[in-house]
Amino acid sequence: MATQKHSPAIKGAKVLMVGAGGIGCELLKTLALSGFQDIHIIDMDTIEVSNLNRQFLFRQSHVGQSKAKVARDAVLKFRPHISITPYHANVKDPDFNVDFFKQFNVVLNGLDNLDARRHVNRLCLAADVPLIESGTTGFLGQVTVHVKGITECYECQPKPAPKTYPVCTITSTPSKFVHCIVWAKELLFAKLFGDKSQANDLNVRSSDGASSSEQAEDVFEHSKDEDIEQYGRRIYDHVFGYNIEVALSNEETWKNRNRPKPIYSRDAMPNDVSQQNGNVEKNGATNDPSLVSAMVSLGLKNPQDVWSLMENSRVFLEALKLFFMKRGKEIGNMIFDKDDQLAVEFVTAAANIRATAFGIPLHSLFEAKGIAGNIVHAVATTNAIIAGLIVIETVKVLQNDAKNYRMTYCLEHPTRKMLLMPVEPFEPNKSCYVCSETPLLLEINTNRAKLRDIVEKIVKNKLGMNSPLIMHGAALLYEVGDDLDEAMIKNYAANLDKVLSEFPSPVTSGTMLTIEDLQQELKCNINIKHREEFDEEKEPDGMVLSGWTQATSVVKEDKKSNANVGSTSSASELETDKNNEIETAPGKKRKLSDVSEADTSSVAGDTKSHGKFEVLDDDDDDVVMLNDWGSAANKKLRSQ
């Protein structure tokens, strides 16, 4: 419970929570027990069975119901006299605009994705409402304070892009199991079961087709009268046999690499084995696609077993058969989902067969699911710790106690004998395009690129704008909105396919574009710089956006220590090395003179080489991106 000293600030506060998942459940409980009287919650999700091991306000009977509404009802049972208003909705809905945010004294985020976090950050800035961010992943967690004009906003430092891999590595020269997972999930699964109109980098022509015609028949096409077992073996032989033989034909590629070994179904699984491959009837007469399983058909029970090549081959063929026999209506519209058991089985088997061909160690279904779904399992205790820290910072914000704001990090291993690492906030980054409106620079080939490239790759993907408006001087190039008439919609759609330099007012080197999002009340300028060529591997978008610079510390009293203390909203990483020792930046709650000289030297050295750190979010379902899945001990946390 809150002390009497804090009671007036707490009881009179109107608080908005965004997210009612792992952190949100703990936070709502702690707010209620701390004396808060008026709490609003926004969450668009419904309760799933997988939530029940850590989101303690929910029960089995609540599965399928709104998280926000059930959380409200659960807390009112032990705090019946407070007001809790739930919204089963997306925080990006137009109803939750700047005016909506202005009614609150503080906003508390417990989100699980970058896009929504940036959206809330911008609305809080526009409404001039303090924001307290949070996130957890496994044993790691963070709470950061963002107050307009006093501390960094959430976007004062750029967040790193998701880990990507060159297409040539995925399709031709995989060296890690994660490469095989990406191939199985993004290429093979998508080709077989996803949108047929989407481009795909898999070689789809057979040896006959390759020698005959550009219009050769797609190997992946399944005719209605073709036996599904025969079709499965044809796909198997093509992707694990023929395609690898094609890759081997380029001798230059394998001069300094281990040569892969093509695998054909006849070698991995003799006919007498394939003929007894699975019993579809073991799946019963279920109408629930999520209950269909190749493992059930084949009698495989333990997801932590590492299957042999023969077992992987049987699972591959059985899963493919089940998709066509039990889930045929979905084929053509499927997207990989880590909670889809059959999809995970198929991707695991395909990745393991490919790994075998390239001499890469095999993984269990449990491990493969973690890689494919970018999963680090949530820890309920971390959520509870972070929720408590959020409430502590909330009280400080409500009392305008700026000198005692702390951004606190929860660590897995002690650093300077601390598991909770407090860091003083940093002042706003004067080069931040969100809170300081500093122009950005976009290098792009203005003679080839179209306006669509800027809208999709820069404005929506990198800048996170939902309803953008783009202007070149007084000329309106692009706009979206419900109030546009049909002629305007057609005009803006036509503009998307125009080359930048071919507009009536050409967009060329030296042009400044003004980008605005009316919902977020965000406006920024982009200076255009023409550039002819880009590195396809390092700059796959064919354009480069820049304009961020490092923020300086707001802490004044100890310049020597601050030289090595990084911005708390930066994009650097916590790295666990082979000895499981976490390297991290120093906190700043007590004076560095209180710490031994050896500790200070060690931490400062780590900071110089690794910079700042920020833990990824995890409001809900165990989401984190690891750069190197090859070793569980050598992992990096990507911040968002």
Side-chain angles (χ1 to χ4, degrees), residues 169-201:
T169 299
I170 300 302
T171 58
S172 303
T173 57
S175 58
K176 300 176 181 179
F177 189 69
V178 66
H179 298 158
C180 299
I181 285 287
V182 172
W183 175 88
K185 181 177 77 164
E186 304 294 344
L187 297 183
L188 184 59
F189 184 89
K191 182 65 181 175
L192 285 168
F193 311 119
D195 186 349
K196 304 297 183 184
S197 66
Q198 294 296 314
N200 194 293
D201 288 291

Side-chain angles (χ1 to χ4, degrees), residues 572-585:
S572 300
E573 307 153 327
L574 274 172
E575 179 174 338
T576 305
D577 65 17
K578 293 179 181 178
N579 297 317
N580 292 325
E581 295 174 349
I582 286 187
E583 300 175 278
T584 183

Side-chain angles (χ1 to χ4, degrees), residues 98-99 122-123 126-127 516-523:
V98 173
D99 288 335
R122 294 169 187 186
L123 288 174
E516 189 170 359
D517 189 309
L518 298 179
Q519 184 186 4
Q520 298 176 350
E521 294 195 11
L522 173 66
K523 181 178 179 180

Side-chain angles (χ1 to χ4, degrees), residues 592-616:
L592 288 179
S593 57
D594 295 338
V595 185
S596 72
E597 186 175 333
D599 283 348
T600 305
S601 173
S602 173
V603 176
D606 290 343
T607 309
K608 287 179 181 178
S609 58
H610 294 283
K612 295 71 58 185
F613 67 94
E614 178 169 332
V615 179
L616 184 80

Side-chain angles (χ1 to χ4, degrees), residues 386-428:
I386 292 302
L389 292 170
I390 293 171
V391 174
I392 290 172
E393 295 305 321
T394 300
V395 173
K396 295 177 189 175
V397 166
L398 293 174
Q399 294 181 320
N400 296 314
D401 189 10
K403 69 179 185 299
N404 286 316
Y405 292 165
R406 292 293 181 272
M407 302 192 179
T408 307
Y409 297 82
C410 181
L411 309 179
E412 184 173 358
H413 304 287
T415 296
R416 301 193 317 176
K417 300 180 180 180
M418 292 188 292
L419 282 172
L420 293 180
M421 180 74 71
V423 181
E424 289 191 11
F426 286 73
E427 65 185 9

